[in-house]
Amino acid sequence: MAINGNGVHGSAANGNGVNGKHTNGKSTNGHSSQGPLYIGFDLSTQQLKGLVVNSDLKVVYVSKFDFDADSKGFPIKKGVMTNEAEHEVYAPVALWLQALDSVLNGLRSQGLDFSRVKGISAAGQQHGSVYWGDNADQLLTSLDSKKTLEDQLSGAFSHPYSPNWQDASTQKECDEFDAFLGGQEELAFATGSKAHHRFTGPQILRFQRKYPDVYRKTQRISLVSSFLASLFLGRIAPFDISDVCGMNLWNIKQGAYDEKLLKLCAGKFGVEDLKRKLGHVYEDGGLHLGAIDRYFVERYGFSSDCTILPATGDNPATILALPLRPSDAMVSLGTSTTFLMSTPSYKPDPATHFFNHPTTAGLYMFMLCYKNGGLAREQIRDAVNDKLGDKPSDVWANFDKVALQTPPMGQKATSDTMKMGLFFPRPEIVPNVRSGQWRFDYDLNDGSLHETHGGWNKPLDEARAIVESQFLSLRLRSRGLTTSPGAGMPAQPRRVYLVGGGSKNKAIAKIAGEILGGSDGVYKLEIGDNACALGAAYKAVWAMERTDGQTFEDLIGQRWKEEDFIEKIADGYQKGVFEQYGKAVEGFERMELQVLAQEAK
Ligand code: XUL
């Protein structure tokens, strides 16, 4: 069963159209019920969503399929299956076939006229891989529109499961990847990231060793994103230029697969065979891959000239949910923390990720992916509520009040010792350290830094310290990528956009602005959990309606009505505080190194 999305705005768009732009001789102002529509799908861990926008970027339909609640016949929990003995996490691919038919049925029952859909793109959970059997091409081209995708394609895979980004079975393979070019730095320089369990290269290496016969019979390998594009295209779609960077196989500077890493990954099966399985990668993220497969024309009434565009990863799609300019930052404050930036600089480091930008050649997407985030803040919030002994109706009220009453870094005067800490209820990867808590005093007068076991008024001092700790880490790792927004201003982001659960919290937003800066302020992005699907839909709009050489940022920037999507929730750069936090970053960096050294003993 598909859950019908909140019927969204009906089909008429608001406000003025798109300045009389014309595509194929038709008005694209989105007012007419004949204007073109675009679908962005989001194939994530727990659901498939299809979101339809018009040329004005207005959402007109949404349909969702929740894997646990709506699927039939799969023993899944939160969208995945596990083999705990080997730390494996994987999803049944046929589940996604069931989901796609259902989401399309959901859109049809809401009244979508599929013949108006001019372009389709998608976002997929990153790193996951799909293994196609030697009958895949034949099955994909001969679909019978009276039957479901699940009935016809469940047998198209050499392996019925897709290793998931939460999989942690590849430590041995990661060690090999990290060592192969000389070290983690070298791997990060070549591919944008050091080896990670979830990255597709180490996953394929383990796969070919564990299942050599299946690997031999595997005709092609897709990423989750290109898998979805393949279904619509009726043949295997290429990887997208951004999502290919989540494999530890793509040499970003060379703009080609890294031959050495392919050799490691392919093992006895050889590089040429692996290259065939992976396929060619095109630079243009707006490339027209081809027309939609006949199956969808006959079954749903799509126009036969509906164009399929490259599908990208969910994080790259997220930065396409708005016209993010280079030097703007997006911080997703969920269970974990993710930091995304679009940047012209390529400065890889083992603790961070660089990907090619999904639409704009010459730009990169910078990403920080923390394991800790919301849980660490909630633990301190609960301790503060316990300590203060009252139960406010807003559970964050005490935390916010205490955090804002505490001066930056706990300093009453700028010569006082700074209080800083690390709070990791879960093992962290940025930096790579066990779960635990560490508290330090940093004396700016003599530069001394000492771990402290008393000295803090716990948990009250920690309310501000946890938020500071999380944002100092972001500033430390992104400071080399920001530029000065104007004469006399220190390097910082132009805007900081907050998304996710934590973005509702004004105290967090205020501290975020004080630490990260943001010459234009701190904004809350109000697109709920639609960022990936929206980004994919906007990518389709851009790919189909761009003029020669027009960038994504330019086209979407002209059409995006920011008052519909964002709210300014805090000031960004404040002279004095920002510079003082600059000193704190120095101490913070040393504190992390000291903890790492201590833990290595
Ligand atoms: C990013 C990552 C996750 C998945 C989630 O590297 O692994 O964010 O993309 O779907």
Side-chain angles (χ1 to χ4, degrees):
M1 178 193 77
I3 301 170
N4 291 346
N6 344 320
V8 205
H9 319 293
S11 55
N14 72 338
N16 290 322
V18 188
N19 315 329
K21 269 197 201 313
H22 285 71
T23 305
N24 301 333
K26 278 188 195 152
S27 165
T28 61
N29 66 14
H31 286 159
S32 101
S33 58
Q34 294 315 308
L37 297 175
Y38 300 89
I39 312 185
F41 288 91
D42 171 22
L43 177 42
S44 72
T45 314
Q46 299 198 45
Q47 65 168 20
L48 175 71
K49 182 185 290 177
L51 180 147
V52 185
V53 304
N54 62 20
S55 297
D56 288 346
L57 312 183
K58 187 113 189 123
V59 177
V60 286
Y61 299 99
V62 185
S63 171
K64 299 178 206 169
F65 181 91
D66 179 288
F67 297 150
D68 283 13
D70 302 331
S71 73
K72 282 199 188 69
F74 300 98
I76 49 161
K77 234 192 207 162
K78 294 193 182 280
V80 292
M81 297 161 67
T82 51
N83 164 14
E84 275 162 31
E86 296 183 56
H87 309 293
E88 289 178 336
V89 184
Y90 46 92
V93 182
L95 164 70
W96 300 338
L97 300 173
Q98 194 179 92
L100 182 54
D101 266 326
S102 183
V103 165
L104 290 169
N105 278 326
L107 290 173
R108 172 157 56 197
S109 65
Q110 290 177 38
L112 170 62
D113 173 1
F114 286 95
S115 71
R116 290 174 58 197
V117 178
K118 292 287 174 237
I120 297 178
S121 184
Q125 49 181 295
Q126 292 195 267
H127 319 297
S129 40
V130 172
Y131 298 81
W132 297 92
D134 51 15
N135 55 349
D137 284 335
Q138 193 262 323
L139 289 175
L140 279 169
T141 48
S142 56
L143 293 172
D144 175 348
S145 61
K146 289 188 243 10
K147 299 184 184 155
T148 65
L149 290 171
E150 187 186 2
D151 282 347
Q152 302 180 82
L153 290 178
S154 292
F157 311 104
S158 57
H159 185 69
Y161 302 113
S162 170
N164 180 266
W165 63 275
Q166 297 165 98
D167 180 282
S169 65
T170 54
Q171 185 59 50
K172 178 171 177 290
E173 292 74 18
C174 284
D175 292 344
E176 291 174 63
F177 264 78
D178 276 337
F180 207 69
L181 302 182
Q184 292 185 346
E185 278 76 15
E186 284 77 3
L187 184 64
F189 187 80
T191 70
S193 302
K194 78 167 178 70
H196 294 271
H197 292 148
R198 63 192 191 282
F199 273 51
T200 327
Q203 288 286 343
I204 294 172
L205 173 56
R206 181 169 183 271
F207 187 92
Q208 58 95 340
R209 286 173 176 162
K210 184 170 179 184
Y211 308 109
D213 292 336
V214 180
Y215 183 81
R216 187 175 297 111
K217 286 192 214 127
T218 298
Q219 195 67 23
R220 293 289 302 270
I221 300 173
S222 285
L223 291 170
V224 176
S225 53
S226 67
F227 158 76
L228 200 54
S230 303
L231 297 179
F232 282 112
L233 202 55
R235 61 188 147 79
I236 311 292
F239 297 150
D240 154 82
I241 188 68
S242 184
D243 215 16
V244 72
C245 302
M247 304 181 82
N248 283 138
L249 291 176
W250 186 256
N251 190 306
I252 293 185
K253 279 286 161 189
Q254 288 172 7
Y257 287 111
D258 190 290
E259 293 282 331
K260 284 194 191 143
L261 295 170
L262 286 183
K263 196 158 182 278
L264 165 66
C265 187
K268 66 179 181 193
F269 296 98
V271 169
E272 288 314 310
D273 169 71
L274 179 55
K275 273 191 183 163
R276 258 194 313 276
K277 287 176 162 60
L278 300 177
H280 187 74
V281 178
Y282 299 87
E283 191 181 14
D284 180 8
L287 185 71
H288 295 194
L289 296 178
I292 194 166
D293 186 61
R294 177 189 45 77
Y295 174 82
F296 298 93
V297 175
E298 292 173 3
R299 190 171 170 92
Y300 295 102
F302 279 96
S303 157
S304 55
D305 68 358
C306 170
T307 302
I308 309 307
L309 292 321
T312 191
D314 53 359
N315 289 298
T318 297
I319 65 168
L320 303 182
L322 74 171
L324 193 78
R325 294 206 216 152
S327 218
D328 287 346
M330 270 178 105
V331 188
S332 167
L333 299 166
T335 312
S336 60
T337 305
T338 311
F339 179 91
L340 303 170
M341 246 178 104
S342 154
T343 169
S345 314
Y346 184 68
K347 295 182 181 170
D349 180 283
T352 70
H353 303 282
F354 277 86
F355 298 78
N356 284 314
H357 190 283
T359 60
T360 312
L363 290 181
Y364 302 93
M365 182 183 83
F366 170 74
M367 177 168 88
L368 293 167
C369 237
Y370 295 79
K371 287 253 152 92
N372 288 286
L375 185 63
R377 292 190 297 272
E378 284 158 22
Q379 283 182 350
I380 293 175
R381 173 200 69 188
D382 294 344
V384 168
N385 282 338
D386 286 348
K387 171 99 177 184
L388 297 182
D390 57 351
K391 289 249 173 311
S393 56
D394 169 8
V395 282
W396 287 99
N398 284 329
F399 178 94
D400 290 3
K401 197 164 117 212
V402 174
L404 293 179
Q405 277 167 358
T406 308
M409 305 308 295
Q411 288 184 299
K412 293 201 179 66
T414 50
S415 57
D416 287 356
T417 302
M418 288 183 166
K419 290 188 169 68
M420 56 179 69
L422 295 174
F423 306 89
F424 299 144
R426 300 194 176 131
E428 185 48 79
I429 40 177
V430 192
N432 191 355
V433 70
R434 68 169 170 90
S435 62
Q437 297 194 351
W438 296 265
R439 293 170 195 76
F440 280 72
D441 288 333
Y442 177 48
D443 188 342
L444 290 178
N445 301 306
D446 60 5
S448 62
L449 179 75
H450 297 291
E451 185 161 9
T452 161
H453 299 281
W456 285 45
N457 181 13
K458 286 196 275 182
L460 301 186
D461 284 349
E462 294 175 334
R464 191 174 182 101
I466 173 71
V467 181
E468 288 179 332
S469 172
Q470 294 179 343
F471 282 93
L472 285 171
S473 177
L474 298 178
R475 178 157 163 190
L476 167 65
R477 295 183 163 87
S478 61
R479 63 183 170 178
L481 301 175
T482 50
T483 50
S484 164
M489 296 274 276
Q492 60 186 290
R494 182 187 71 112
R495 284 185 176 180
V496 175
Y497 294 102
L498 302 182
V499 288
S503 65
K504 296 190 188 82
N505 188 311
K506 295 253 162 84
I508 294 179
K510 184 166 187 303
I511 299 170
E514 289 174 355
I515 297 179
L516 293 178
S519 51
D520 201 29
V522 178
Y523 293 78
K524 180 169 171 245
L525 194 56
E526 303 196 63
I527 48 176
D529 59 358
N530 279 342
C532 308
L534 258 187
Y538 289 179
K539 185 169 182 296
V541 173
W542 163 72
M544 296 306 294
E545 298 195 7
R546 62 184 166 171
T547 53
D548 228 13
Q550 188 178 24
T551 62
F552 178 88
E553 290 79 6
D554 182 51
L555 184 142
I556 299 300
Q558 284 177 17
R559 301 185 188 187
W560 197 65
K561 297 192 183 70
E562 65 174 39
E563 60 281 8
D564 289 350
F565 295 105
I566 58 174
E567 180 197 347
K568 184 167 177 178
I569 49 171
D571 289 332
Y573 176 69
Q574 290 145 72
K575 197 170 166 57
V577 190
F578 182 85
E579 285 73 12
Q580 191 69 1
Y581 274 122
K583 295 180 190 157
V585 172
E586 309 298 329
F588 188 86
E589 184 175 25
R590 283 175 49 203
M591 171 181 71
E592 280 193 353
L593 292 171
Q594 191 164 320
V595 170
L596 288 172
Q598 251 162 250
E599 292 300 315
K601 275 189 198 148

